[in-house]
Amino acid sequence: MSTVAETTAKLTPEHDARPTAAVRSRLQDLLPKIVLAPSFAATIVFVYGFILWTIYLSFTNSKTFPSYDITGARAYQRLWRWTFESDPPSSWYTSITNMGIFGFLYILICLALGLFLATLLDQKIRGEGMLRPIYLYPMALSFIVTGVAWKWFLDPGLGLEQTLHQWGWTSFHFDWIKNKDFVIYTVVIAGVWQASGFIMAMFLAGLRGIDGEIMKAAQIDGATTFQLYRRIVIPLLRPVFLSAFIVLAHLAIKSYDLVVALTSGGPGGSAWLPSNFMYEFTFKRNEMAVGSASAVIMLMTLTAIIVPYLYSELREKPR
């Protein structure tokens, strides 16, 4: 009897420990889901939920307050007329024209300047560790700070023009920030100054990831520096070019605070981008349906850029 009792005493703790271990293991598996659940729910509600809500409002006749009566695509028809049938040009036409100018120059110059700076730093120059933070520092600033700083610098009465006049160069004039035909180019200047360092870092990482043996083999075969970059380096940087393009296009389409801080919209709204149009019509002119429609068009533009990129990145490579 004593032997049976001792055996039972030894087996009971092990038997009791098995459910405890199973519960602990299950809790460990559930813990990441429990921790992520609030943020996931918040994202579903406050991001995708409000996207659907904005799409819904764009098909209503909402003015100052939301309306729940579906009236069709009237807001989109108004934007269509303002784009192609408005004379003189409407503020929406000005916004999308500025978006074309700003987006094209912003992306092109940032890519070219970023690649040029990355190529220079890739030569293992002295002081590289100090130059990289200098180039990257503007990206750490908010668009508000960038806009205010460049507003002071470009203001004819405060910045560059006034300084050169004090130095004796009285014939110099640079009033783009006050000129409705050139004010959008000041937004390009400020945007390029802020983003080009970040693009440089992306290209520099890509350059440092290229196999040095390929470069040495091409040099042994007699390839010049120009041929080396045109036929080997730049083709190998194609994924970096694509990623940089996506980042810059996203920043360009959603730009709002940079325009407001730098130009306050420009003379007569001449520096407006679609985001400025959306805010103005939604919250100041009490045209919530039109503002929502413009926001949906911006979302569609971003989707048209990002979805093909995600598809090319996530699809299975043929074996």
Side-chain angles (χ1 to χ4, degrees):
M1 292 295 293
S2 62
T3 304
V4 174
E6 290 177 1
T7 303
T8 304
K10 291 180 180 179
L11 291 176
T12 301
E14 294 180 2
H15 180 73
D16 293 341
R18 289 175 185 175
T20 305
V23 171
R24 185 183 299 111
S25 177
R26 188 169 182 180
L27 287 176
Q28 289 176 348
D29 293 337
L30 290 176
L31 183 60
K33 299 177 182 179
I34 295 173
V35 171
L36 292 176
S39 60
F40 179 77
T43 300
I44 292 295
V45 173
F46 294 106
V47 176
Y48 298 101
F50 280 108
I51 287 175
L52 295 176
W53 176 245
T54 302
I55 295 173
Y56 176 82
L57 289 179
S58 69
F59 290 97
T60 66
N61 61 347
S62 301
K63 297 293 184 179
T64 304
F65 298 101
S67 172
Y68 302 99
D69 298 327
I70 299 293
T71 57
R74 293 181 181 178
Y76 296 96
Q77 293 172 354
R78 292 179 65 181
L79 292 178
W80 177 269
R81 290 196 302 269
W82 290 346
T83 303
F84 299 104
E85 303 174 7
S86 178
D87 188 20
S90 65
S91 54
W92 174 246
Y93 178 83
T94 301
S95 299
I96 60 176
T97 302
N98 286 340
M99 185 74 263
I101 296 172
F102 174 69
F104 176 77
L105 293 178
Y106 176 66
I107 293 173
L108 180 64
I109 297 174
C110 280
L111 289 176
L113 187 59
L115 179 60
F116 176 72
L117 294 175
T119 303
L120 292 181
L121 289 181
D122 193 46
Q123 307 305 313
K124 306 296 192 299
I125 62 175
R126 183 177 299 176
E128 176 190 343
M130 180 182 66
L131 291 175
R132 277 184 298 177
I134 292 176
Y135 289 138
L136 282 171
Y137 174 72
M139 197 64 187
L141 302 176
S142 69
F143 279 118
I144 294 293
V145 175
T146 298
V148 172
W150 277 94
K151 181 178 182 178
W152 292 342
F153 183 75
L154 297 175
D155 192 313
L158 298 174
L160 179 63
E161 181 176 322
Q162 179 67 18
T163 301
L164 293 178
H165 286 181
Q166 292 176 352
W167 289 353
W169 191 359
T170 56
S171 62
F172 177 83
H173 294 286
F174 192 80
D175 61 346
W176 285 10
I177 200 170
K178 303 290 185 181
N179 190 323
K180 65 182 183 64
D181 295 324
F182 293 95
V183 65
I184 188 62
Y185 298 102
T186 63
V187 182
V188 174
I189 293 172
V192 168
W193 177 81
Q194 181 165 34
S196 57
F198 176 70
I199 303 303
M200 175 216 67
M202 294 179 66
F203 279 121
L204 185 60
L207 288 171
R208 296 286 167 82
I210 295 177
D211 189 356
E213 297 299 325
I214 300 176
M215 308 286 284
K216 291 179 182 178
Q219 290 173 340
I220 292 173
D221 289 339
T224 63
T225 303
F226 177 75
Q227 292 174 332
L228 197 67
Y229 276 87
R230 184 171 68 89
R231 297 185 178 182
I232 297 178
V233 174
I234 292 180
L236 289 175
L237 289 177
R238 179 181 172 275
V240 182
F241 272 102
L242 187 57
S243 299
F245 173 80
I246 296 298
V247 171
L248 292 172
H250 169 259
L251 291 175
I253 292 173
K254 74 171 190 176
S255 293
Y256 169 81
D257 39 5
L258 179 62
V259 176
V260 172
L262 178 61
T263 68
S264 299
S270 55
W272 275 13
L273 295 176
S275 55
N276 303 97
F277 175 92
M278 181 272 295
Y279 179 84
E280 181 76 16
F281 272 73
T282 302
F283 300 106
K284 292 186 177 181
R285 301 193 184 184
N286 301 326
E287 293 283 354
M288 187 177 294
V290 174
S292 299
S294 65
V296 172
I297 292 174
M298 292 168 58
L299 175 65
M300 293 170 61
T301 306
L302 279 173
T303 303
I305 294 172
I306 294 176
V307 168
Y309 168 76
L310 293 177
Y311 175 77
S312 65
E313 289 294 317
L314 299 178
R315 68 180 178 178
E316 287 188 359
K317 302 295 182 181
R319 296 182 180 179

